[in-house]
Amino acid sequence: MLSVIRRLIHSKVGLVITFAFLAIIGLAFAASDITGMNSTGAPLAGDALVTVGKGKLTGTELRARAQDQLEAYRQQQPNLDMAQFVAGGGIESTMNQLVAGLALEQFGRDAGMVVSKRAVDGQIASIPALQGPNGEFSQLLYDRLLQDRKLTDQQVRTDIVRETIARQLILPTIGASQVPSQLALPYASLSLEKRQGQIGIIPTRALATGAAPNDAELAAWYKRNITRYTIPERRIVRYAVVTGDQIKAQTTPSEAELTAAYQSQRASFAPSEKRTFQQVIVADQAAANAIAAKLKTGIAIADAARAAGLEPSTFTATDKASYAKQSSSAVVEAIFGAAKGGIVGPVRGALGFTVARIDDVVQVPGKSFAEARAELLAAVTKDKTAQALGRIHDAIDDAAANRATFDEIIADQKLAAQTTPPLLGDGRDPTNPTIKAAPDFVPVVAAAFAAESGDAPQMVPLGTDGGFAVVSVGRIVAPAAPPLAEIRPVVSRDVLIDRARRAARAMAADIVAKANKGGALPALFAATGIKTPPIQPINVARAQLKADPRGAPPPLTLLFSMSEGSTKLLEAPNNEGWFIVHLNAIQRGNAATQKPVIDQMRAEMGRTIGREYAEQFTQAVQAKVGVKKNDKGIAALKAELSGATTTRQN
């Protein structure tokens, strides 16, 4: 669950992306959503968690920004909650972004940098979401968005100024890509390094689990590992579906309507002729005559045209009326007057001289009303259904805009409301985890998770026939763990696995201690008396680790961070056991005489060196401005936010 957060938070993407969080208007407003500012609209007050030069970052502001950051991450992981966000390092990341922005702003102002009101006005006016029907900035739209998000114009402008100064300071450095050969040499040599060692594993399953855990042991384990059993936020979704099948009585055409439709389309049901032919248009009449002469000798029109540097066009099953829309009447009459296999032209048209070969002629019989009735019935029914659904959709939209409740809308439109059990963001019911939500129902759940309690009902398109669902949030169920009694078998299993895991760790740690005193791994493994997989000899170059698109296995990564002759312990994923990694020897690399290796390393470093420079510059700015953190206050806020979601329900 936390992998996306950690990947984004700890990524070396650089400060342009870091400060994109501060580019509140340029990024978030353009997506028709203002985020990243104080969501309450109240002045940012309170004790300072971080003092940045002459400014301060308060708990109120950090709390609001963290919530906005969480909502952004929820676009990728809908089940994510604040406790998981905090556990994944989200508070530290958000705080560091804000501190960096404040420090850069102060540094820039001290250096004489300013952002004029006109520049800020221009940025706001250029946001597509704030442009009216005439393509110009709409003050009404801007005021409405500020009101909806409980923001002030000053808050917006302050963030734009801060982001603009930060961007102006950072962007020139981001573009740096030149890396000297001497700087790249040690890294290039490191890529040539080889290491030899051994890797073994003490598997958890090979250790005994002991007797079934008693009540006290289960209760203690459950309390210590409560987050393991906590079910993420769920939502009870209330919805009603509106489809064409529900309004068949309104959309079944009468005989009079079918007759009128037939009369209005009589031309399409009349007998017709469709032709397949190839043509080429030539600007010069002499060249056109030459192509026509070749066609009469049996040469394919494509070959004759290409010999003249032209390419023929093919018309398949084309009727006269359709072709007449794109050619002159003389050419149309000539092509539709020729027999199958005939050569037409040259005939003078609007663009030049047309030469054509008639490949096929098909006579399409007309259709009487009786013969066309099924086709008309389907077409008229589809049209009436779309119109009826559109009227219902517009009526519900108007009612929602006038603050009608979900129940009022359902009653007014005589719809059948349905209520789901508490669902996760992907539509699954945790009480039936093996059952996935139907693909066409997932958008309904997504709409419910995008809304908040009290929001107006939303309409979500369903299928391709114009059907839709009216969606409302019934209740938000905060993250919580089921009572121990309900999941006792699961907890008991986990306790037994943990026993074996700890026993495996103790055995592996004993092997590591003895190996570091000179013991040989094969003998130490054999002395355990348990069955283990064979010890694997390793002889690998650092470059091989980088070449694996899936990423290097953790034991190999550890091998390249160890000192020669040492042995270390590493836990295997999914409680599978404990790796024991021993490094026998290191073969140092030397790229001094290998220019291609150095050049490759220079290119790789060049893709990130600018971001590294920018990061170092920002750290230097913070040191210059001065940053002091209130560690106790930060810890208290993290503790508060970790438990805040438990009260978020109706």
Side-chain angles (χ1 to χ4, degrees):
M1 174 62 73
L2 299 180
S3 60
V4 169
I5 294 181
R6 292 195 176 105
R7 185 164 60 250
L8 292 173
I9 288 174
H10 301 298
S11 167
K12 285 287 187 178
V13 177
L15 291 181
V16 166
I17 290 181
T18 298
F19 293 128
F21 175 64
L22 300 174
I24 304 302
I25 295 302
L27 297 182
F29 238 151
S32 299
D33 182 24
I34 306 178
T35 59
M37 284 176 270
N38 181 1
S39 58
T40 65
L44 299 177
D47 295 335
L49 294 184
V50 186
T51 301
V52 185
K54 302 174 184 177
K56 65 179 182 178
L57 173 62
T58 66
T60 304
E61 182 173 9
L62 181 55
R63 182 186 296 106
R65 301 276 189 164
Q67 184 61 48
D68 293 327
Q69 193 80 298
L70 171 64
E71 293 302 324
Y73 287 139
R74 274 182 168 173
Q75 301 301 313
Q76 299 182 51
Q77 289 196 0
N79 293 335
L80 192 65
D81 59 38
M82 180 58 79
Q84 294 165 335
F85 178 77
V86 173
I91 296 300
E92 289 81 358
S93 172
T94 304
M95 179 176 63
N96 291 339
Q97 292 168 7
L98 293 169
V99 168
L102 286 167
L104 286 167
E105 179 187 17
Q106 290 190 41
F107 182 83
R109 289 186 182 279
D110 291 345
M113 295 178 66
V114 295
V115 180
S116 68
K117 179 180 181 300
R118 184 173 181 180
V120 176
D121 289 343
Q123 290 195 47
I124 296 175
S126 65
I127 297 168
L130 299 180
Q131 294 174 2
N134 60 357
E136 297 181 358
F137 171 74
S138 169
Q139 185 66 42
L140 179 63
L141 287 176
Y142 180 54
D143 292 341
R144 184 182 301 167
L145 283 171
L146 292 178
Q147 181 179 2
D148 289 345
R149 296 293 178 176
K150 298 180 178 64
L151 298 168
T152 67
D153 177 65
Q154 185 56 48
Q155 288 172 325
V156 172
R157 292 177 178 276
T158 298
D159 269 341
I160 290 179
V161 169
R162 182 182 302 173
E163 186 275 333
T164 301
I165 291 176
R167 186 175 63 238
Q168 290 174 346
L169 287 169
I170 293 300
L171 282 181
T173 311
I174 290 290
S177 62
Q178 297 298 316
V179 178
S181 296
Q182 288 303 308
L183 178 60
L185 176 59
Y187 297 98
S189 297
L190 197 62
S191 70
L192 299 178
E193 178 186 280
K194 293 183 179 180
R195 297 201 171 197
Q196 296 177 351
Q198 297 170 294
I199 298 177
I201 185 172
I202 300 296
T204 299
R205 63 179 180 274
L207 279 296
T209 59
N214 57 38
D215 291 344
E217 190 175 4
L218 287 175
W221 169 268
Y222 175 78
K223 183 177 181 180
R224 288 197 310 270
N225 298 276
I226 191 70
T227 56
R228 174 183 295 194
Y229 306 106
T230 298
I231 300 174
E233 179 185 288
R234 291 161 289 159
R235 298 197 173 195
I236 295 174
V237 183
R238 302 188 67 198
Y239 69 100
V241 175
V242 183
T243 66
D245 289 340
Q246 296 173 257
I247 54 174
K248 274 188 175 180
Q250 306 174 40
T251 60
T252 301
S254 65
E255 288 300 313
E257 288 174 321
L258 293 177
T259 300
Y262 180 78
Q263 293 298 332
S264 66
Q265 303 174 49
R266 179 175 288 277
S268 64
F269 293 115
S272 63
E273 179 183 275
K274 293 190 176 182
R275 296 191 166 215
T276 298
F277 56 92
Q278 299 178 75
Q279 73 173 31
V280 61
I281 300 176
V282 188
D284 178 71
Q285 184 172 10
N289 289 334
I291 291 176
K294 289 182 179 180
L295 297 185
K296 291 174 182 178
T297 65
I299 295 176
I301 188 171
D303 294 337
R306 288 168 187 156
L310 302 171
E311 192 70 31
S313 300
T314 300
F315 293 82
T316 303
T318 302
D319 59 39
K320 188 174 184 178
S322 299
Y323 184 64
K325 296 177 182 178
Q326 51 189 305
S327 191
S328 64
S329 58
V331 175
V332 172
E333 293 302 327
I335 287 180
F336 278 82
K340 179 179 179 179
I343 306 301
V344 176
V347 180
R348 188 180 187 90
L351 300 177
F353 295 88
T354 299
V355 179
R357 182 194 296 277
I358 310 302
D359 295 324
D360 194 20
V361 178
V362 177
Q363 300 297 329
V364 181
K367 290 184 180 180
S368 64
F369 175 75
E371 292 170 327
R373 192 178 188 284
E375 182 181 338
L376 290 167
L377 180 63
V380 176
T381 299
K382 181 178 180 180
D383 185 55
K384 291 190 68 176
T385 299
Q387 293 180 23
L389 289 173
R391 288 193 295 270
I392 297 172
H393 186 284
D394 291 345
I396 294 175
D397 195 32
D398 290 343
N402 291 323
R403 309 224 177 250
T405 66
F406 177 81
D407 290 323
E408 290 170 341
I409 290 173
I410 298 306
D412 183 58
Q413 295 296 326
K414 298 180 174 58
L415 301 176
Q418 301 183 60
T419 302
T420 71
L423 300 177
L424 298 172
D426 59 6
R428 286 182 299 117
D429 178 357
T431 61
N432 294 289
T434 60
I435 301 177
K436 294 184 178 181
D440 59 349
F441 188 66
V442 172
V444 173
V445 179
F449 270 81
E452 295 294 338
S453 295
D455 283 358
Q458 302 177 63
M459 285 180 285
V460 179
L462 298 177
T464 58
D465 64 350
F468 59 93
V470 186
V471 183
S472 180
V473 179
R475 185 163 63 91
I476 298 175
V477 181
L484 174 58
E486 291 184 10
I487 57 173
R488 184 185 179 92
V490 174
V491 177
S492 179
R493 178 205 63 196
D494 291 345
V495 170
L496 294 176
I497 292 175
D498 186 63
R499 282 182 188 171
R501 170 188 167 276
R502 286 186 282 112
R505 189 191 188 286
M507 183 177 291
D510 182 63
I511 293 175
V512 169
K514 292 176 179 178
N516 281 323
K517 293 179 180 179
L521 283 192
L524 293 172
F525 267 75
T528 63
I530 65 171
K531 187 177 181 179
T532 64
I535 296 174
Q536 299 294 318
I538 301 297
N539 186 0
V540 64
R542 189 182 293 271
Q544 291 176 253
L545 274 62
K546 294 173 57 179
D548 190 340
R550 298 167 300 179
L556 290 184
T557 302
L558 176 61
L559 187 75
F560 277 87
S561 65
M562 295 166 55
S563 58
E564 193 168 353
S566 65
T567 306
K568 288 192 175 182
L569 188 66
L570 178 67
E571 186 171 11
N574 304 317
N575 289 321
E576 292 177 1
W578 297 85
F579 290 113
I580 297 171
V581 183
H582 177 73
L583 176 59
N584 293 325
I586 301 175
Q587 181 181 337
R588 308 292 180 184
N590 186 357
T593 60
Q594 300 190 40
K595 187 176 183 300
V597 178
I598 296 176
D599 290 343
Q600 181 180 356
M601 182 56 64
R602 291 179 64 195
E604 291 181 13
M605 295 177 66
R607 289 191 286 269
T608 59
I609 194 70
R611 296 195 293 268
E612 182 67 25
Y613 287 155
E615 189 169 333
Q616 294 298 325
F617 172 74
T618 303
Q619 291 178 6
V621 166
Q622 293 183 48
K624 174 70 174 178
V625 172
V627 175
K628 295 181 180 179
K629 294 183 179 180
N630 179 353
D631 292 332
K632 289 184 178 180
I634 295 169
L637 177 63
K638 289 174 63 177
E640 174 195 337
L641 292 176
S642 294
T645 52
T646 60
T647 61
R648 187 186 177 201
Q649 57 183 343
N650 294 338

